[in-house]
Amino acid sequence: MKKIGVLYGRENTFPGALVAKINELGAGNFEAESVSIGAITMEQLYDYRVIIDRISQDVPFYRAVLKHAVMQGVNVINNPFWWTADDKFFNYALAHKIGVAIPKTALLPHKQHPPDINSQSLRNLLYPLNFDEIFEYIGFPAFLKPYSGGGWKHVYKVHSREEFFSAYDQTGDLCMTLQANVEFTDYFRCYVIGKKNIHIMRYDPRLPHERRYVLDGPPLDPAMQDRLTSDCLKICNALGYDMNTVEFAVQDGIPYAIDFLNPAPDADYHSVGPENFAWIVNAMAELAIEEAGKKVSKPKDYRWSKFL
């Protein structure tokens, strides 16, 4: 019996449904369960062929365990080595390089020194920063948001220099980006599973969280569907994520990718709705079974790049 584990946090609907679906589809050959972890040793071995990770971004202990599991030959979705190294600014620059439309974005120094850092630690940092040059490049309105983060935390829409500096003063020692605003007429959130299966959902980030998924929107134009599908595949194959959402804001017919570091994406029944929930549960179950059926492959040499 090949075992698949699900590691999760405060989620109440998706993990149990995923375990049940894997056990239904893989009856007799694959068995899924919630992962149970205590203290581990360097020699620890794991019973799982696959672990689906939904929480290690918030729990360093879990992240360390999963990296160790990869070294022992477990397939972890998503790969903890890549997720550890990734950030949104790199995402934007990479997507731009491979031909995906990205709003103009600039990376900014911390407003306040990080802990145990002082001015002597930053002697290579230009000061004062030429903000006028940045404002001319980005334009207003714009979004000030963390270079890596999620949940719309610490995100500010600014319409002028004054609003920018007022918001920037509130960011403390967070590293931030400034990104050009997209006046969107349509917005999509796309599940991408296994770097090949895509489910496009209309979405409105201006609404309360529980109402953001548009469940009764108009049919999707075929040309837009093709463009969204192509861009999703480009992004997730370049980044190596097997579970992700990619968000697009559409302006003048162009879908701008504005968020695609979501490798533990929202999959709650009560927010995504019955149809979207059923799709993500089934797609993840099929991917987990597919990966668990592959031959276990341990690295032949222990270099970081071999774990990606």
Side-chain angles (χ1 to χ4, degrees), residues 85-97:
D86 201 11
D87 67 73
K88 289 190 174 185
F89 182 71
F90 176 80
N91 279 183
Y92 297 137
L94 177 64
H96 178 66
K97 284 281 189 183

Side-chain angles (χ1 to χ4, degrees), residues 258-283:
I258 63 169
D259 189 13
F260 38 96
L261 203 173
N262 298 300
D266 177 19
D268 181 70
Y269 178 90
H270 301 291
S271 64
V272 304
E275 181 181 340
N276 297 328
F277 183 78
W279 189 93
I280 184 63
V281 168
N282 195 71

Side-chain angles (χ1 to χ4, degrees), residues 111-276:
K111 170 60 180 179
Q112 297 176 6
H113 297 329
D116 300 320
I117 295 295
N118 58 34
S119 57
Q120 284 192 318
S121 307
L122 299 173
R123 284 179 285 187
N124 297 100
L125 183 65
L126 289 174
Y127 184 84
L129 199 63
N130 188 344
F131 279 104
D132 287 334
E133 185 176 70
I134 296 167
F135 298 152
E136 183 177 351
Y137 172 71
I138 300 294
F140 288 112
F143 280 95
L144 181 66
K145 55 186 182 180
Y147 92 114
S148 191
W152 288 82
K153 297 176 181 177
H154 310 290
V155 175
Y156 307 86
K157 186 174 184 179
V158 294
H159 298 81
S160 64
R161 289 175 52 94
E162 293 72 26
E163 288 189 12
F164 167 82
F165 286 114
S166 176
Y168 191 45
D169 287 344
Q170 300 175 53
T171 61
D173 62 2
L174 292 174
C175 185
M176 305 293 287
T177 63
L178 188 65
Q179 186 172 76
N181 176 60
V182 177
E183 291 293 344
F184 62 87
T185 53
D186 225 341
Y187 197 104
F188 298 95
R189 198 168 210 240
C190 308
Y191 279 129
V192 187
I193 303 301
K195 299 189 285 288
K196 58 185 178 181
N197 296 315
I198 298 166
H199 182 63
I200 301 171
M201 302 171 285
R202 289 188 183 275
Y203 189 79
D204 192 340
R206 298 166 295 194
L207 296 176
H209 180 77
E210 67 278 6
R211 294 171 48 208
R212 289 180 182 175
Y213 293 89
V214 179
L215 306 180
D216 55 355
L220 181 58
D221 176 73
M224 179 60 68
Q225 180 171 341
D226 289 346
R227 173 70 180 269
L228 296 175
T229 298
S230 174
D231 285 354
C232 282
L233 292 175
K234 286 180 183 178
I235 287 170
C236 290
N237 277 279
L239 295 176
Y241 287 127
D242 281 310
M243 173 174 54
N244 198 3
T245 50
V246 183
E247 295 185 18
F248 296 91
V250 181
Q251 177 177 310
D252 298 329
I254 299 173
Y256 291 89
I258 63 169
D259 189 13
F260 38 96
L261 203 173
N262 298 300
D266 177 19
D268 181 70
Y269 178 90
H270 301 291
S271 64
V272 304
E275 181 181 340
N276 297 328

